[in-house]
Amino acid sequence: MPYQSILEKIHAEIVPTLPQGRVADYIPQLAHVDPHKFGMAVCDTSGGIACVGDAAERFSIQSISKVFTLTLAMQLEGERLWQRVGREPSGTSFNSLVQLEYEQGIPRNPFINAGALVITDMVLSHLGEAKLALRELARKLSGGVDVCYNPAVAASEAGRGYRNAALANFLKSFDNLRNEPADVLDAYFHHCALSMSCTELARAFLYLASHGQHAGTALITPSQAKYINSLMLTCGTYDAVGDFAYRVGLPGKSGVGGGIVAVMPGLFSVCVWAPGLNASGNSLAGTRALERFSELTGQSIF
Ligand code: GLN
């Protein structure tokens, strides 16, 4: 498949639309990101990579990190993790509080903030050093030996993290956090503040296109890779997940830094970065770029 020429065509089409999105500004550090950035990278299961635009520039991966945290929690807890978090789409925004009260402190899924806080709590209970563990996983999977947290982004979010603090305290009140909310939040904000590029993320997500295999060894089981892909398809882009599935036809996970990673099991993983967001907090141009990618390649899971 001529991925390189397809990416170049998408790049040319998408660039004029970049100003239409709105960069996230509730995390002050993200408000400074240039809305004209655009990068895209595709990695096939044999390791070949094609990329375009700003694909080598690192950005804040934000909620894309929730896939790595869930991967660690699956390794550590297996199926027990479903006692503390659901696996249904939420139909609400990623940082909504209201559903958590109705549903007695059990978040709908691991990809909304409340769910990711519970998952982070599990990793913290097992490993103590949740920040180190996640950074090491991101380095190993991406091959980026110097992948690291951006401390200014983590501090910026912590300084304004009232909503996530409310969610963490709420979860604690329902006995669904084992650690102190402040410790869980600190790990969570750091996870969101990992800086990675499109090429690094496309490489890092290859295990989900390869039935859980990374570099010839099983990172997770084939069933667990299926579970994570299914969750990305049904919950990975929040209350826009139906629209994303309709248009792109691939499991995907977005972050408010403007990145989206999508996976075609057996074939490739693809990452796009365009910082301007739509109303649901997903990259506006990034969603469009992935839609064009599935149209031009004729590839989707359907
Ligand atoms: N760190 C962000 C938050 O907790 C992540 C949200 C996102 O990327 N959707 O609000």
Side-chain angles (χ1 to χ4, degrees), residues 26-27 62-63 66 94 113 157 164 188 192 238 255-256:
Y26 75 100
I27 301 173
Q62 293 295 319
S63 284
K66 293 178 168 83
F94 61 81
N113 289 11
E157 184 165 10
N164 284 318
Y188 171 81
C192 291
Y238 315 113
V256 291

Coordinates of all heavy atoms in Angstrom, one line a residue, residues 26-27 62-63 66 94 113 157 164 188 192 238 255-256, ligand 1:
Y26 N -7.9 24.9 28.7 CA -8.1 24.7 30.2 C -6.9 24.2 30.8 O -6.8 24.2 32.1 CB -9.4 23.8 30.4 CG -9.2 22.4 30.1 CD1 -8.9 21.5 31.2 CD2 -9.2 21.9 28.8 CE1 -8.7 20.1 30.9 CE2 -9.0 20.5 28.6 CZ -8.8 19.7 29.6 OH -8.5 18.3 29.4
I27 N -5.9 23.7 30.0 CA -4.6 23.4 30.6 C -3.7 24.5 30.0 O -3.4 24.5 28.8 CB -4.1 22.0 30.2 CG1 -5.1 20.9 30.7 CG2 -2.7 21.8 30.7 CD1 -4.8 19.5 30.2
Q62 N -1.6 13.5 26.4 CA -2.8 13.6 27.2 C -3.5 12.2 27.3 O -2.9 11.3 27.7 CB -3.7 14.7 26.6 CG -3.0 16.1 26.8 CD -2.9 16.4 28.3 OE1 -3.8 16.2 29.1 NE2 -1.8 17.0 28.7
S63 N -4.8 12.2 26.9 CA -5.5 10.9 27.2 C -5.1 9.7 26.4 O -5.6 8.6 26.6 CB -7.0 11.2 27.0 OG -7.5 11.9 28.0
K66 N -4.0 6.9 28.4 CA -4.9 6.0 29.1 C -4.8 4.6 28.6 O -5.2 3.6 29.3 CB -6.3 6.6 29.0 CG -6.5 7.9 29.8 CD -7.9 8.5 29.7 CE -8.2 9.6 30.7 NZ -7.8 10.9 30.4
F94 N -15.6 13.8 28.6 CA -14.5 13.0 29.3 C -14.3 13.3 30.7 O -13.8 12.5 31.5 CB -13.2 13.1 28.5 CG -12.6 14.5 28.4 CD1 -11.9 15.0 29.4 CD2 -12.8 15.2 27.2 CE1 -11.3 16.3 29.3 CE2 -12.3 16.5 27.1 CZ -11.5 17.0 28.2
N113 N -12.0 10.3 32.3 CA -11.1 10.7 33.3 C -11.3 9.9 34.6 O -10.3 9.4 35.2 CB -11.1 12.2 33.6 CG -10.5 13.0 32.5 OD1 -10.3 12.5 31.4 ND2 -10.3 14.3 32.7
E157 N -1.4 21.5 34.5 CA -2.7 20.8 34.7 C -3.0 20.7 36.2 O -4.2 20.9 36.6 CB -2.7 19.5 34.0 CG -4.1 18.9 34.2 CD -4.4 17.7 33.3 OE1 -3.5 17.2 32.6 OE2 -5.6 17.3 33.2
N164 N -10.6 17.3 37.9 CA -10.1 16.0 38.1 C -9.9 15.7 39.6 O -10.1 14.6 40.1 CB -8.7 15.8 37.4 CG -8.9 15.6 35.9 OD1 -9.8 14.8 35.5 ND2 -8.1 16.3 35.1
Y188 N -1.5 10.6 37.5 CA -2.4 10.8 36.3 C -2.0 12.0 35.5 O -1.8 12.0 34.3 CB -3.8 10.9 36.8 CG -4.8 11.4 35.7 CD1 -5.3 10.5 34.8 CD2 -5.2 12.7 35.6 CE1 -6.2 10.9 33.8 CE2 -6.0 13.1 34.6 CZ -6.5 12.2 33.7 OH -7.3 12.6 32.7
C192 N -0.5 12.0 31.6 CA -1.1 12.9 30.5 C 0.0 13.8 29.9 O -0.1 14.2 28.7 CB -2.3 13.7 31.0 SG -3.7 12.8 31.5
Y238 N -14.8 9.5 23.4 CA -15.8 10.1 24.3 C -17.2 10.2 23.7 O -17.6 9.3 23.0 CB -15.3 11.5 24.8 CG -13.9 11.5 25.2 CD1 -12.9 12.1 24.5 CD2 -13.6 10.7 26.3 CE1 -11.6 12.1 24.9 CE2 -12.2 10.6 26.7 CZ -11.3 11.3 26.0 OH -10.0 11.2 26.4
G255 N -6.5 12.5 22.5 CA -6.1 13.3 23.6 C -6.3 14.8 23.3 O -6.3 15.2 22.2
V256 N -6.5 15.6 24.4 CA -6.7 17.0 24.2 C -5.5 17.8 23.7 O -5.6 19.0 23.4 CB -7.4 17.7 25.4 CG1 -8.8 17.3 25.6 CG2 -6.5 17.6 26.6
Ligands
GLN1 N1 -5.3 15.6 31.1 C1 -6.6 15.8 30.5 C2 -7.6 15.9 31.5 O1 -7.6 15.2 32.5 C3 -6.8 14.7 29.6 C4 -8.1 14.8 28.8 C5 -8.1 14.3 27.4 O2 -7.1 14.2 26.8 N2 -9.3 14.1 26.9 O3 -8.5 16.7 31.5

